[in-house]
Amino acid sequence: MNAFTLSAAKEYALANDIEMWVHLFLNGEGDNIVMSEDLKKKKRNWLGPIEIDIKYLERVVGPEEHLEYVEEIKWWNYNIDQICSRLESGWDMPPLIAENGMGVLDYMTVIIDSVHYRN
């Protein structure tokens, strides 16, 4: 089994080690060592993976100018197309990493853009 899938993340969670999975992912396929190191700077309470309604998420990354982290539209669309194509092929997509800050879940997908992490 690929270590960087939702199924693998669930296995780590069952072993009470989802934090380890997050760091393995970010230092591997997620390609974001900086985010991994930033996450280690303070004590975190990890939960998941869990399924939640997307209406509870607030996107902070995208092509819209008002977002905290603005991506170029062609790059954004390319990444979205890649995700859709992989999902249609049966991809067991890694879970989103979200932060609960001040009652709002901020999220970004580590596949699309893991550089933009709000600490």
Side-chain angles (χ1 to χ4, degrees):
M1 171 186 356
N2 181 332
F4 306 124
T5 63
L6 175 58
S7 298
K10 287 179 178 179
E11 291 294 322
Y12 275 82
L14 284 173
N16 292 319
D17 209 7
I18 192 62
E19 182 175 12
M20 174 64 77
W21 182 90
V22 168
H23 293 295
L24 289 171
F25 176 79
L26 291 173
N27 285 278
E29 186 177 302
D31 192 27
N32 198 336
I33 295 169
V34 172
M35 181 177 173
S36 176
E37 293 304 314
D38 283 347
L39 287 170
K40 293 175 185 175
K41 288 181 179 176
K42 63 181 179 181
K43 172 101 173 89
R44 308 237 178 225
N45 295 306
W46 296 92
L47 174 67
I50 61 170
E51 186 173 325
I52 62 170
D53 193 308
I54 198 166
K55 71 182 178 186
Y56 296 112
L57 300 176
E58 180 180 318
R59 189 162 47 91
V60 297
V61 179
E64 298 91 339
E65 291 296 321
H66 71 277
L67 293 175
E68 186 170 354
Y69 303 102
V70 178
E71 291 288 339
E72 198 277 320
I73 187 75
K74 288 182 184 177
W75 177 246
W76 179 261
N77 287 336
Y78 169 80
N79 282 303
I80 297 299
D81 289 345
Q82 290 297 306
I83 289 172
C84 291
S85 176
R86 291 177 77 180
L87 286 170
E88 289 168 358
S89 297
W91 180 38
D92 186 12
M93 181 178 167
L96 298 176
I97 298 174
E99 178 181 32
N100 184 359
M102 298 171 51
V104 175
L105 289 176
D106 292 335
Y107 78 98
M108 58 40 221
T109 65
V110 288
I111 297 300
I112 293 175
D113 194 334
S114 59
V115 175
H116 304 305
Y117 169 68
R118 180 156 56 193
N119 196 2

